[in-house]
Amino acid sequence: MSASSELVFIPFAAAGHLVSMVEMAKLLVDRDDRLSVTILIMKFPFDSEIDSRIESLAASVAARIRFVLLPRRSHSPRTSRRAFIHHFMESHKADVRDAVAELSARGSPRLAGLVIDMFGASMIDVGVEFGVPSYVFFTSGAAFLGVMLHLQSLRDEQHMDPTSLKGSDVELDFPCFANPLPAAKFLPMDVFREEDCRISLDLALRYRKAKSILVNTFAELEPRPVEALASLGAPAVYPVGPILNIKVESKRGFEILDWLDQQPDASVVFLCFGSKGCFDEHQAKEIAQALERSGYRFLWSLRRPPAKGKLEAPCDYADPAEVLPEGFLNRTAGVGRVIGWAPQVAVLAHPAIGGFVSHCGWNSTLESIWFGVPIAAWPQQAEQQFNAFQLVVELGLAADIKMDHRRDFVEGSDGVVTADEIEGGIRKLMEGEEAGERRKKVKEVSEKSRKAVMEGGSSYSSLARFIEDVCSQ
């Protein structure tokens, strides 16, 4: 049966966004023969591996999914992270319009709508131009969506300037959280920069113009935030997660998995901080001291930050010993490993992993829940990580290491988390009665995450409603 309706996916190029949107596309075409998907790929100016990555993704998808690579655009590297993302997406708007025009001109299958990354909400204008609905794919959780909508409402309806809250004692009552939060301590740092604040809240304003929002969460994980979105004026919301690429790759080439095979169950602390996670020498030494003093087995993915002021991807250290305390690798050789890039899904799926020291990126949070691994939460930057942190701590799924840490490698670091703080978080994660209760809760939520996407589950049913919305127009 040939597809009768085509959706155009417009993801942001970062790995966490691209992979989850591809998984979403796969889920849609697997669920309904009426649908086909074209995914428009933007290329980072500093990403030399995007072509091979797309080849790998294309080999794993159904025939009714195809990729279209857009021209690479140049960008000034000296800008804030939020401003870079905004200008990156805007610079591709004409390319997106041309690609959609070509698809629309074919006539069959009919162009049914655009599915737009949360960072590309201005692409709704393209949908309007072609007379098709736009759907936002929110690659983070419902709580973060609620925070964005709430802050946008404060700005545009109550004329509050969020940047004025920096350093204040004001507490904000977010509908998606059980308790008010002290703004100056917990708000994402992007809110405190005037340009970044404007960009973030303008995105939230545009979300209100979408036909609906697909959220990578499940109702059982975020019942309060999901319920609160309607009161915040959001369009129809479909919780369809967890959307994850949980295929565990072969052990071939992953010597570290062989090492994990030799460790007792639930004995290893895994430290990994996402595709952008990296540490300079000062912070790396503090982590190393914490690990050595804790005495726990560990697997640590340690990566080098880009040069200050450069918006580039982190890379592996040629020799990690150059940034670690003298003799650290020798002293800990029997209990731990320091590596570069890590196959995170394969590691989290391994029974030897007993805890996950994480930056609280949303995909990492969902993966840890899926595999039933408790978290020691250490958000590294702003935005989603802050809200994922708040959520998992509030639900009793995580211990905290440093809840108000602020760091930006483009504009410079804002403080170092000490060895004492890190060691304390690891101990809370791994030992004592509280750790046992946390592990039990994570296992319970893990079961709920798996049931949500099974036939009859909350996310399965939510996705069915979205498909009928698309196909019935």
Side-chain angles (χ1 to χ4, degrees), residues 157-321:
E157 297 174 18
Q158 300 184 34
H159 309 293
M160 175 188 289
D161 176 11
T163 61
S164 68
L165 299 173
K166 186 174 185 179
S168 74
D169 295 326
V170 172
E171 289 195 337
L172 294 179
D173 188 7
F174 293 103
C176 35
F177 291 116
N179 301 304
L181 303 178
K185 190 174 184 181
F186 295 118
L187 279 182
M189 63 177 159
D190 284 354
V191 169
F192 296 139
R193 301 191 194 105
E194 187 171 344
E195 181 188 14
D196 290 350
C197 178
R198 177 186 59 77
I199 291 170
S200 295
L201 301 191
D202 284 353
L203 281 175
L205 182 61
R206 285 189 175 264
Y207 295 159
R208 299 181 186 276
K209 299 178 182 179
K211 184 172 185 186
S212 61
I213 304 177
L214 297 151
V215 185
N216 191 8
T217 192
F218 54 104
E220 293 82 358
L221 178 65
E222 297 188 275
R224 183 186 179 98
V226 169
E227 185 178 341
L229 289 172
S231 67
L232 291 166
V237 171
Y238 297 101
V240 293
I243 305 293
L244 298 168
N245 182 352
I246 54 171
K247 181 182 178 182
V248 177
E249 299 181 51
S250 165
K251 286 188 177 184
R252 182 176 298 176
F254 294 156
E255 179 271 338
I256 199 61
L257 297 182
D258 294 331
W259 179 79
L260 286 173
D261 287 343
Q262 301 168 32
Q263 312 309 314
D265 286 357
S267 67
V268 178
V269 179
F270 178 42
L271 300 90
C272 190
F273 301 88
S275 59
K276 298 295 186 292
C278 48
F279 293 104
D280 58 19
E281 180 176 355
H282 192 176
Q283 186 63 78
K285 281 184 165 61
E286 295 292 320
I287 297 172
Q289 290 174 27
L291 288 171
E292 189 169 3
R293 293 196 319 224
S294 77
Y296 282 102
R297 291 177 172 84
F298 66 87
L299 175 62
W300 178 12
S301 174
L302 173 60
R303 310 196 76 202
R304 179 194 296 275
K308 185 177 178 181
K310 296 288 186 180
L311 269 167
E312 297 175 349
C315 60
D316 292 353
Y317 281 99
D319 180 10

Side-chain angles (χ1 to χ4, degrees), residues 32-278:
D32 201 299
D33 291 339
R34 293 174 293 178
L35 295 175
S36 63
V37 175
T38 293
I39 304 175
L40 305 183
I41 302 296
M42 306 173 194
K43 299 182 178 183
F44 282 139
F46 49 78
D47 188 350
S48 61
E49 299 178 358
I50 182 67
D51 291 327
S52 60
R53 193 178 306 125
I54 295 305
E55 284 183 16
S56 175
L57 288 171
S60 69
V61 301
R64 284 179 288 121
I65 298 176
R66 72 184 188 105
F67 295 87
V68 174
L69 272 63
L70 302 180
R72 192 187 300 269
R73 301 298 178 190
S74 60
H75 300 270
S76 170
R78 293 190 172 275
T79 181
S80 75
R81 178 175 176 270
R82 169 61 71 198
F84 169 80
I85 293 172
H86 171 70
H87 294 301
F88 177 83
M89 297 298 286
E90 286 295 308
S91 72
H92 287 86
K93 203 166 184 179
D95 299 318
V96 169
R97 184 180 294 110
D98 291 345
V100 173
E102 182 179 338
L103 291 169
S104 181
R106 292 188 322 198
S108 180
R110 73 179 181 93
L111 179 61
L114 310 182
V115 179
I116 299 167
D117 185 273
M118 59 187 282
F119 288 147
S122 68
M123 299 293 178
I124 290 173
D125 296 341
V126 178
V128 170
E129 184 176 334
F130 288 91
V132 296
S134 293
Y135 310 95
V136 171
F137 183 63
F138 203 78
T139 51
S140 189
F144 181 46
L145 174 59
V147 166
M148 290 185 71
L149 292 171
H150 185 59
L151 289 174
Q152 179 266 319
S153 178
L154 291 178
R155 181 193 69 175
D156 296 334
E157 297 174 18
Q158 300 184 34
H159 309 293
M160 175 188 289
D161 176 11
T163 61
S164 68
L165 299 173
K166 186 174 185 179
S168 74
D169 295 326
V170 172
E171 289 195 337
L172 294 179
D173 188 7
F174 293 103
C176 35
F177 291 116
N179 301 304
L181 303 178
K185 190 174 184 181
F186 295 118
L187 279 182
M189 63 177 159
D190 284 354
V191 169
F192 296 139
R193 301 191 194 105
E194 187 171 344
E195 181 188 14
D196 290 350
C197 178
R198 177 186 59 77
I199 291 170
S200 295
L201 301 191
D202 284 353
L203 281 175
L205 182 61
R206 285 189 175 264
Y207 295 159
R208 299 181 186 276
K209 299 178 182 179
K211 184 172 185 186
S212 61
I213 304 177
L214 297 151
V215 185
N216 191 8
T217 192
F218 54 104
E220 293 82 358
L221 178 65
E222 297 188 275
R224 183 186 179 98
V226 169
E227 185 178 341
L229 289 172
S231 67
L232 291 166
V237 171
Y238 297 101
V240 293
I243 305 293
L244 298 168
N245 182 352
I246 54 171
K247 181 182 178 182
V248 177
E249 299 181 51
S250 165
K251 286 188 177 184
R252 182 176 298 176
F254 294 156
E255 179 271 338
I256 199 61
L257 297 182
D258 294 331
W259 179 79
L260 286 173
D261 287 343
Q262 301 168 32
Q263 312 309 314
D265 286 357
S267 67
V268 178
V269 179
F270 178 42
L271 300 90
C272 190
F273 301 88
S275 59
K276 298 295 186 292
C278 48

Side-chain angles (χ1 to χ4, degrees), residues 138 140-148 151 174 176-177 181 186-188 222 225 359-362 365 379 381-395 403:
F138 203 78
S140 189
F144 181 46
L145 174 59
V147 166
M148 290 185 71
L151 289 174
F174 293 103
C176 35
F177 291 116
L181 303 178
F186 295 118
L187 279 182
E222 297 188 275
H359 68 308
C360 291
W362 189 245
T365 300
Q381 295 174 329
E383 305 138 348
Q384 308 98 306
Q385 297 168 16
F386 155 78
N387 296 115
F389 169 91
Q390 189 66 32
L391 175 72
V392 293
V393 171
E394 194 171 273
L395 293 177
M403 57 194 311

